[in-house]
Amino acid sequence: MTVGVDPVGHGFIMQRVNTGVSRKVDDLGRIVLPAELRRSFGLKEGAELEISVEEDRIILTPRRNACVFCGTQTDLKEFQGRMICTRCVGELSGSAQQTDPQWDPFAQA
């Protein structure tokens, strides 16, 4: 059994379950996820998966539009492939401007 923390950091315990399904990698490096697995994770065509490596495992995680720090799903900006809410950007930068709704931390100066 593998125990970990969910990608948004809510502290859920995940258990690795062997599905008994295997797939071949095609000549372009693609694999097909079984329909039941896609349904159970709510993956539609075009859904994005984050790819990470843990020791000798390849981990696919559905990309959720939520702040990587606090988990909020509102007022998000993308930064280096991760979603961050403007409140957390303000806290990280120590900026007093975080309360200004017109302030855009990603705007070019």
Side-chain angles (χ1 to χ4, degrees), residues 7-59:
V8 181
H10 293 290
F12 299 115
I13 296 176
M14 298 183 301
Q15 180 177 353
R16 185 174 73 176
V17 177
N18 186 353
T19 63
V21 175
S22 65
R23 295 287 193 241
K24 290 187 178 187
V25 177
D26 73 9
D27 60 335
L28 295 176
R30 299 175 297 198
I31 60 168
V32 175
L33 297 175
E36 181 59 34
L37 197 59
R38 293 192 314 267
R39 272 193 295 277
S40 66
F41 280 88
L43 298 173
K44 306 274 189 233
E45 182 179 337
E48 291 186 38
L49 297 174
E50 292 186 12
I51 303 168
S52 56
V53 176
E54 182 179 295
E55 297 176 13
D56 64 340
R57 296 178 190 93
I58 299 169
I59 301 168

Side-chain angles (χ1 to χ4, degrees), residues 65-103:
N65 285 331
C67 177
V68 295
F69 296 108
C70 70
T72 188
Q73 296 181 336
T74 58
D75 204 19
L76 299 172
K77 300 282 184 173
E78 186 170 349
F79 180 72
Q80 295 184 352
R82 303 280 188 221
M83 302 306 286
I84 305 173
C85 71
T86 53
R87 182 175 149 255
C88 287
V89 169
E91 288 180 21
L92 290 168
S93 68
S95 173
Q97 296 171 323
Q98 66 187 354
T99 57
D100 180 359
Q102 299 301 315
W103 179 66

